[in-house]
Each structure stands twice: as structure tokens, then as C-alpha cells.
Amino acid sequence: MKVNSPGAAVEKAAGDGIKAWNSGGSHLLARRVIQFTMFLVGFAVLWMFLYTSASPFGFPTFSHYFIDDSPKAGYDPKLESVLRSASMKDKTVIITTLNDAWAEPGSIFDLFLESFRLGNQTEKFLKHLVVITWDQKAHARCVALHNHCYHLETKGDNFTGEAFFMTPDYLNMMWRRIEFLGSVLDMGYNFVFTDTDIMWLRDPFKRFYKDTDFQIACDYFNGDSYDLNNYPNGGFNYVKSNSRTIRFYKFWFNSRSAYPKLHDQDVLNKIKKNSFISNMKLSIRFLSTDNFGGFCHHAENFNGVLTMHANCCVGLENKVSDLKILLQDWKKYLALPESEKKQFHPSWSISCSKGVHMKSKISSLPPPIQQTTMEATAGAGVEKAAGDGTKAWDSGGTNILVRRVMYVAMLLGGVGVLWMSFYHFGSPLECSTFSHYSTDESSQEGDNDQNLESVLRRASMKDKTVILTTLNDAWATPGSIFDLFLESFRVGNETEWLLNHLVVITYEQKTQERCLTVHKYCHQFISKGDNFTGEQRYMTPNYLHMMWKRLEFLGSILDMGYSFVFTDCDIMWLRDPFKQFDKDADFQIACDDFNGNPSDIHNSPNAGFKYARSNYRTNWFYKFWINSRSSYPKLNEQVVLNRIKGHPSISDMKVKIKFLSTSYFGGFCQISKDFNKVTTMHANCCVGLEKKSNDLKLVLEDWKKYMALPEQNKTESHHSWRVPKNCKF
């Protein structure tokens, strides 16, 4: 019997040998019991393989791919204030971290700051440097010397003293740093992260690659900046805030669970070739040690060196001693006449590369440091056990071989049982199978994200602001609302230029094709399993789903660092709205009914027109708004906004919300009566596509008549709209 309902689970036999089980109710019950048992056995085998053992191939386990995109507890306004005051025009900051041991007078922090003052045209970067302090004493020392200091509170941790390499405190500090840097990207800031034991001798921005998401220095560089076989050093990297880098940092941080005894740099070396990263199209480049050198691999040419890192050097005292020598060498070089600088080839006098280097001290180091050093030196991928129960297997070559055979056998056994459970019997839980999370889908989403980033970049204004609207097939029909929407920009008063910054988000392929015939910036929003083609009747399940999907999408735009004006397509743009926006507000929204006070939360907002600036407050606010759906499952996003707008969490976050006057941003609910003020007109309080189209045509006709009047008549006469006409309730 055929079942045509798309929601039904259709049982099929995979082979002739099991068809008999479908002949009756008792057989079906027995089949279900076998099916569910096989599922549990397969799942148990895979669980043993994936969670009690390290990956035999050196890759993260399946659980690693489920990235936690949930919002953090909240951003700190103090951090936003520090970042904003320190950032460059393109929202780039320089970040370093500091604890008490390195902040002592005469220690590394003083040398670090001195390098900026001694460097060639580097002192200017101090005003963009943000120092993240791990403890109160380091913070007090920082504030005494520098303008931009932020104390990162870490409950339960003590990072005051020297954190020795690979100790638990060291590992916690390194992973906390990765988590924090990811939050900076979430806030829309690009950053150059630099360890404090790196001397800034020249401007590094002149050597950064322009079109790269993530670029990182190396302990050892093989000459090819694209080659993933380079050995990176996490102490110096330049990262641009976008959807790819935000996801990448979450992926990197979550990888800690797959490699619990490794630090962030070694884990990066493990995951840099992972298909998840290549599928998201993250562009990675490695920085040459000729320019970004260190004690592992010197930047020999003084004429090309930009930074020098005291890497491959153990001990605070050793680092301080050699960094002082390094700055003395640099001063001597700078004192040379220009002709001698080019003719002679000075060399560094540092001793950490001569007898005090980590390679020569391997025999005296504790076992964890010795092993990690050997990995760094040889570039080898060393297999590590994930739990105490597997350590014994690493004692010899034979045991490792046996261990690998067991891994493969367990993997094949688990996959085989699950294969039989899912593909011969169907999913016992009536759910999507693991194939739903296939690489092909990830690749498609990654490509789509990259295309969106490209469209936004081309359409954005200088301050990374775009105008967004959404469009489905019903509204895209020739002669319908979309055409009227575009026409309003052309007949509006100085609004046509705004079309250069309009991005149309389409819901299906047919709409995308239609959009591209009349506009240059169109992006198809892919939503698996959803169908938003026809006219979505108000408050139907599909309408609600579409509205919430739209809100999620807009939140992702803020996460990418773009501010936006969102506008429904049934809004006519008659004047430039930017002239009426509040310069200091984070989030501004039109109203169905406006009471005269733009700061009064008792105004009734209309989510069809809003201006949101990308910053930590609005990014958090959108996440809070989206998550509020679970509290009001049968309401649309506009009604939920009305419920939460007075929530104490929003006021605690100091989100600056302003409501736009209907005198300028009018609609059919509350008409903008003064033609000399009207900026936009919205076909709100109007149900039905045909009714909206008819009344919006009248709006444009009335506007054209007004625009045709002599300037004197425009100001003296009082004009009136013929709408709402068809839309009257």
C-alpha cells in the first residue's frame, strides 16, 4: 500500500530474506524488537569506540562536529567599551594577555611595550593594543603603564604565577584564551593576537594577506604560505571577524574534548586539515619566519624582520634575558647609517638558540614537555590516549599495532550493526539517520555562507551597513509587491542610491532567478525541508516558521559584523531613513502605533522595519529574542518582542532601543499624514496580497503627484493619502 503523506514513515524491505516479516502485526512487533536491539548494540559498540578511546587516526570524534552555537551568558559592557576605544576604523584591535609573573617591573611586559617604542613606525599601534589581564595585580600594573586594560575574571582558576609549559594551569590558561578570542570575534572585532614575549619591530599589517580569514605565525615555515604542513605557533595570529572564523574558533575550542591533554597550538595542528574546516571554505595562510621570526627559526634579515618571538625558549628568566639582548641588537641596527643597513648583515646575539634551546634541554625536561618538544621539532603526529585505561597500549610497537587493529574492528563492527539496523530495517526511532549530517550538506552550507559574505561585502556601505529584505515567490510575481518596492526607491526623494546597498534574501530558486533579473544583489536562503513558496497566511504554522527563520538569519548577519536596516517588501521608501535614525541607538524599530515618546517601551513595535547596529549588545539581544520563542511557541516574533521588550535582562545589558515615529515611518495602522516628513509607508494592518498591492499602487500614485508639485505648493498645501482603501478593516 502506498502512503502519500510526506510525514509518514514508509517501511521497505532491503532484501528478499526479510519481506516475510511485514506480513502481520506479530511479525511487525518481532521485527521492531530485533531492529531496536540491533540499534542499541551498534550504538553501544560505537560509543565504546568513540568515547573511551582516542581516535585511531588522530581526528576528532563525531561529537566534535556538533558545535555549540548557543549564546554565552552575556557580554561584558566594560570589554565592549575597551575594545571600542582601542579599535581601528575597521574594528581591528591588537590583543595580548598578561599575568602577574610577566607583569613584574623589568620583566617581559615592559620589554613588550618598549619594542613598540623602539620599532620602526610601531609606536602608533599602542593606542590599538588591548591588554587582557588574568589577575588583579597584573591589572593594576597594566593600568599604571597602558590605556587599554581589561581584567578577565576566571572563577576557580589562578593564573597569577608563571604557568609552566604543559602543566594543568598552563593548559587551562591557553584554552581560556581561545574561548575569549572567539568571543571577541562574536562581538564583530577583528584582532591581531600577540604573545607578550613577541617584540614588535616593524608594522606587520604591511605583510598580512588581504583576502585571508585566518593567518598565523610559524615555529617552522616551509616556504609555502598555503601549505597546511607548516607548523603554526598560536602566539601570533591575525583573524578577521566573519561567519567562517566565528565557527572555526568554536570548532577549535570544542576540539579540546577530543585531545584533552594537548594545548591549543597542538590541537590546531591536529585539526587544520579537518574536512569541517575545508568545507566551510575558511582561508588560512601561514606567515613566513623571514618576517615573523622567533627563536625556533630566526628572521635572519634585519631589513625584513617585523616581529621576533621568544618561542622555543623555556623559563621566564631565559626569555627576559634574551629579549633584552634582542632589543639591544635592534638598537644597534637602527643606529647604523642607511647605507650600512643594506650592505651589512648583522646577526642576533640571543642565547636561547645556542645551548639553551629546547632541543638541547630535552633530556632535562619532565616527560610531558619532552614529548611535546619532540613533536614540535620533528613535526610528527603522535598518537595519545584519551583516558587512563588506554595508556598501557602505547608502550610498544606491537601493542600499538594490536590497538589499531582493535580500533578498526570495533569501528567496522559498530558501523556494520548500525548499517543493518538503519538500512535493512529502517530507523527504529523514526528519526533521520546519520546520513543527514553528511559532508555534502556541510559543503553546500559552507558555499552558501561564503556566497552570502561576498554579497554583503559588495553591497555594504563604508561602515558595514546593508539594507535587507526577504522575498518569496508569491511576492516576486511581475507587477506584484516586489516591483512596487523597487519602484519606490526610484521615485522616492534621493533614495535610488540606496538600491546599491540593498540585499534581497530569496526563499527559493524561482524567486532567486526573478530577483536577479531586476536587481544585482540577491542571495538564496537555503532552509532544508521548508517550503515558503506561496502566500503565507498570517499566523499559520508556516508563517510563524518563516518569521522565526528570518529572525535567526538576521541574528547571523549581526554575528558576521554587519549592521542592517531590515525592511519588509511592502514598505515604500520615499525618503532617506538614515537622516531620521538616532545615532546612539543599538536597535531602532518602526511602530504600528506610536505614543510620541521614542524611548517608551510601551510603544507597539512593528518588526517589518528596523535598524540594528552590530555590537555585543544587539548580537546578544537577537539571541535572547530568538531563544524567547520557546516561552511563546504559538506567537510570531513581533508579538514576542512586545512581551520581552521590558525584560530586566535587556535593561541590564543596556541595549539602547528606540521606537521610530509614525510621523516619519508610517503605515496603514497609523498614517504618516505630513507628506513633507514621510520617509517610509508600510502596508501593515492589511491582510491579503491583492489588497496590499492595490493600496501600495495608490501610495506611489499619491507620492508622484506630490513630487510633481512646485516646491512652494509642497510646503503650503496639506495633502492626504487615499489609503488605506482596499485594506480598511
Side-chain angles (χ1 to χ4, degrees), residues 601 605 624-625 628 631-632 635-648 650:
I601 62 170
F624 180 80
W625 187 0
S628 297
S631 300
Y632 306 100
L635 302 183
N636 66 0
E637 90 289 10
Q638 180 174 306
V639 178
V640 170
L641 174 62
N642 220 28
R643 298 288 180 93
I644 67 171
K645 62 188 179 184
H647 196 282
I650 296 175

Side-chain angles (χ1 to χ4, degrees), residues 382-551:
V382 180
E383 297 291 332
K384 289 181 178 284
D388 295 337
T390 60
K391 286 182 179 177
W393 288 100
D394 292 324
S395 60
T398 304
N399 287 340
I400 291 175
L401 177 61
V402 173
R403 177 170 169 257
R404 287 190 178 240
V405 170
M406 289 183 66
Y407 273 134
V408 173
M410 291 173 71
L411 175 62
L412 292 177
V415 170
V417 174
L418 278 181
W419 177 273
M420 292 174 64
S421 173
F422 279 113
Y423 294 95
H424 286 281
F425 293 108
S427 170
L429 306 178
E430 299 286 343
C431 296
S432 301
T433 60
F434 289 162
S435 62
H436 175 70
Y437 303 103
S438 67
T439 303
D440 289 340
E441 182 178 328
S442 300
S443 178
Q444 185 179 13
E445 289 176 355
D447 291 342
N448 203 47
D449 288 345
Q450 187 177 36
N451 176 256
L452 174 60
E453 174 75 31
S454 174
V455 173
L456 292 173
R457 185 173 62 252
R458 287 182 286 125
S460 72
M461 303 175 190
K462 291 182 179 179
D463 63 349
K464 292 193 72 175
T465 297
V466 292
I467 301 167
L468 299 171
T469 193
T470 52
L471 184 67
N472 71 349
D473 182 47
W475 284 32
T477 304
S480 189
I481 286 180
F482 184 48
D483 286 359
L484 297 172
F485 175 69
L486 295 178
E487 184 183 357
S488 74
F489 284 86
R490 300 186 182 101
V491 302
N493 188 353
E494 299 181 356
T495 53
E496 189 168 11
W497 68 277
L498 294 167
L499 287 173
N500 295 321
H501 306 293
L502 171 66
V503 177
V504 181
I505 308 302
T506 61
Y507 284 119
E508 62 275 309
Q509 185 60 38
K510 186 178 179 181
T511 308
Q512 176 74 0
E513 293 169 359
R514 163 68 175 146
C515 180
L516 289 171
T517 64
V518 292
H519 189 62
K520 57 183 176 180
Y521 299 130
C522 306
H523 173 78
Q524 185 177 350
F525 173 69
I526 297 176
S527 182
K528 295 283 184 180
D530 293 325
N531 181 6
F532 301 138
T533 302
E535 180 180 358
Q536 304 303 317
R537 295 288 181 179
Y538 184 66
M539 294 306 290
T540 59
N542 222 34
Y543 170 87
L544 292 175
H545 187 55
M546 184 165 70
M547 293 300 100
W548 284 106
K549 280 285 187 180
R550 184 178 78 180
L551 193 66

Side-chain angles (χ1 to χ4, degrees), residues 88-136:
M88 304 174 191
K89 291 181 179 179
D90 65 346
K91 293 192 72 175
T92 298
V93 291
I94 301 166
I95 296 176
T96 194
T97 53
L98 182 68
N99 72 348
D100 179 43
W102 285 33
E104 288 290 331
S107 190
I108 285 181
F109 184 50
D110 287 0
L111 297 172
F112 176 68
L113 296 178
E114 184 182 358
S115 75
F116 284 85
R117 301 184 183 104
L118 291 176
N120 189 350
Q121 299 180 2
T122 53
E123 189 170 7
K124 62 185 178 183
F125 292 119
L126 284 174
K127 64 183 180 181
H128 304 298
L129 171 67
V130 176
V131 181
I132 308 301
T133 59
W134 294 111
D135 53 81
Q136 194 57 50

